[in-house]
Amino acid sequence: MRTGSPDRQICRAAILLAAALAAGFVVSSLSLPGLGEAGRRALGIFAVAAILWIAEPFPLYVTSFVVVILEVVFLGRPGGPLGLAAGGYAIFMRPFFDPVVALFLGGFVLARGVTRYRLDERIARGILSRVGGRPQMVLLGMMVTTSALSMWISNTATCALMIAVALPVVHSLPENEPFRTAILLGIPFAADIGGIGTPIGTPPNAIAMGILRQTGAELGFLDWMARGIPVVILLLFVAWTLLRLLYRPRAASIRLPDAAVPPMDRRSWLVLGVFGIVVVLWLTGGLHGVPAAAVALLPFVVFFGFGFLDREDLGKLGWGVLLIIGGGMSLGVAMRESGLTAWIVSQLPLSELGTAAILFVLAGAAVAMTTFISNTATANLLLPVVVGIAAIEPVTSAVVVAMSASAAMILPISTPSNAIAYGTGLVSVRDMMRAGSIVAVVSATVIVLFIRYVF
């Protein structure tokens, strides 16, 4: 019988799942000095999660549920190694309903409203129409616009929008014009950098905030932005300068294409108003005392309650990302409660390293891992460990790892934004590696130095 592609995918997923479970069993059976039974079981679950998140036999959000099932069965049963009472397994499921998940949900609803009414396109074209025709300024305008949008809308959606805006500009240039490459690389780089700026900009930020909340080290919306916005500005300048130097323009000027955008109607203005109100409430949480997660529910109530968005829009929200975030935080609970996190930290040879050196090691690990797997998977694997390093304040280590995970932009597989740019067929892997490697190294260095010595 001929085996079709779906059948091969099912077989591959089944084989990888079986291999991951077998590896987890072997790992949990190891005799490791200083690590108890609960810790060994948690280590086995961690191994399963790592294999599935890296190999991706099925969507990452499915792995989140695999993790929870294993936690409940092997750690959460009454009388199990954690000594939980009946119903104690709920500690592994609560992260899926964590305030950080609600915060990200609100961000998705805002993004959907802005996209549905084409406000993102209007904002993008409005800014770009004011930067003039100098190639360097066109690149800067596109990168700043992309970065600003990606703070509130997913990096992937922002990059897709801005690539669509940029392609007519790129095609208007001669094929031998090197600045074409600068534009097509500048947009995905700026999308990934911009995501660093706000808690809802990219999943690693939310994962970091959620795990910090579990450890009692709360980090507010404005607190994150106070660290993230300066880093975004610094990294944007670095990336823009590098692209200008690597791909010097031959053309004296670039003309932006004209495109008709429908006029603002009443609904568009109302959506924009809700967007502004929510952002202001997020930024002024210290004054009114309403948690950011509660504010995040406002656009959901308004947009869906009053018909601005419908059931089709509901299905297009990033539910998978929310489940991935919940799964990562659930794994963090298992690692912490079982003593695995403390054991891993005790095995690391950190006593001879200073704080800055440790942060450089963590940032380097985050960049290296994200080069080959998603930044969300990297955050899920690293953050539960790094917040337990006693030599470093948890907020510092978590922020450095989360931001560094967004700074790896070396290969087309490194981030969805890179994949979108590469998918145009106008950017080579060599160019992406050349510029992306430099930006990633400089970005990790800037992140460590800024977070370590300024905050």
Side-chain angles (χ1 to χ4, degrees):
M1 182 178 68
R2 184 175 180 180
T3 303
S5 179
D7 292 332
R8 287 197 297 271
Q9 292 175 1
I10 292 173
C11 289
R12 176 180 180 274
I15 291 171
L16 285 173
L17 176 59
L21 293 173
F25 175 77
V26 171
V27 170
S28 65
S29 301
L30 297 176
S31 178
L32 301 171
L35 187 63
E37 181 184 358
R40 292 197 302 272
R41 291 190 181 187
L43 183 60
I45 295 171
F46 179 89
V48 174
I51 292 171
L52 296 181
W53 271 324
I54 293 172
E56 289 191 64
F58 29 64
L60 297 181
Y61 52 82
V62 176
T63 298
S64 293
F65 286 144
V66 173
V67 167
V68 173
I69 292 171
L70 294 176
E71 289 170 345
V72 171
V73 171
F74 293 104
L75 292 173
R77 289 184 297 177
L82 285 182
L84 298 176
Y89 66 86
I91 64 172
F92 303 121
M93 305 188 76
R94 289 192 191 110
F96 289 90
F97 305 95
D98 190 271
V100 170
V101 175
L103 179 63
F104 230 74
L105 174 61
F108 285 146
V109 175
L110 279 180
R112 184 60 193 164
V114 167
T115 303
R116 169 77 179 266
Y117 291 92
R118 299 181 67 178
L119 297 178
D120 50 0
E121 182 180 351
R122 184 181 302 278
I123 294 169
R125 290 190 175 277
I127 295 176
L128 293 178
S129 65
R130 289 167 172 78
V131 299
R134 293 178 56 199
Q136 295 90 340
M137 297 310 297
V138 170
L139 175 62
L140 180 62
M142 288 189 173
M143 292 183 69
V144 170
T145 302
T146 302
S147 181
L149 288 174
S150 69
M151 292 183 191
W152 311 101
I153 305 173
S154 78
N155 299 352
T156 306
T158 299
C159 185
L161 165 70
M162 292 303 298
I163 286 289
V165 173
L167 279 177
V169 177
V170 172
H171 288 308
S172 71
L173 298 171
E175 291 187 6
N176 62 348
E177 170 58 66
F179 208 67
R180 289 162 52 115
T181 302
I183 294 174
L184 290 171
L185 289 179
I187 289 174
F189 288 2
D192 293 329
I193 290 170
I196 292 173
T198 66
I200 65 169
T202 188
N205 300 357
I207 295 169
M209 291 180 67
I211 290 179
L212 285 172
R213 171 190 281 276
Q214 294 171 358
T215 64
E218 223 43 67
L219 188 64
F221 199 99
L222 194 57
D223 294 327
W224 184 283
M225 290 188 67
R227 294 164 172 81
I229 297 297
V231 170
V232 168
I233 294 172
L234 290 171
L235 299 189
L236 269 183
F237 178 76
V238 168
W240 175 62
T241 302
L242 174 66
L243 292 173
R244 286 174 53 210
L245 295 175
L246 290 179
Y247 306 101
R248 296 181 182 274
R250 296 173 184 169
S253 64
I254 297 176
R255 178 177 174 80
L256 293 173
D258 296 324
V261 180
M264 292 279 286
D265 58 15
R266 182 180 300 176
R267 285 182 166 239
S268 299
W269 281 111
L270 287 172
V271 169
L272 185 61
V274 171
F275 186 98
I277 291 171
V278 170
V279 171
V280 170
L281 290 175
W282 274 338
L283 299 181
T284 58
L287 298 177
H288 55 71
V290 180
V295 173
L297 300 178
L298 177 63
F300 196 102
V301 172
V302 174
F303 289 172
F304 287 102
F306 293 93
F308 292 91
L309 299 177
D310 54 28
R311 185 174 298 179
E312 181 180 350
D313 295 302
L314 183 66
K316 292 181 179 180
L317 301 180
W319 299 108
V321 174
L322 300 181
L323 296 179
I324 294 170
I325 293 171
M329 291 191 294
S330 180
L331 180 61
V333 170
M335 294 175 66
R336 187 182 67 255
E337 294 296 324
S338 67
L340 176 59
T341 298
W343 181 83
I344 292 175
V345 171
S346 70
Q347 304 303 305
L348 298 176
L350 301 177
S351 58
E352 299 179 359
L353 298 178
T355 301
I358 296 174
L359 290 175
F360 275 115
V361 171
L362 297 179
V367 169
M369 290 176 65
T370 307
T371 298
F372 302 101
I373 65 175
S374 75
N375 59 3
T376 304
T378 295
N380 278 337
L381 295 173
L382 283 182
L383 284 169
V385 175
V386 303
V387 296
I389 298 176
I392 307 175
E393 201 270 327
V395 170
T396 299
S397 59
V399 170
V400 165
V401 168
M403 289 185 176
S404 297
S406 297
M409 48 195 80
I410 299 172
L411 297 173
I413 63 171
S414 298
T415 68
S417 301
N418 278 16
I420 291 171
Y422 181 73
T424 64
L426 301 173
V427 179
S428 68
V429 175
R430 179 182 177 184
D431 281 323
M432 191 169 285
M433 289 182 63
R434 179 189 180 194
S437 298
I438 300 173
V439 172
V441 171
V442 174
S443 296
T445 302
V446 169
I447 289 168
V448 169
L449 294 178
F450 184 83
I451 299 301
R452 170 67 178 90
Y453 294 106
V454 177
F455 281 92

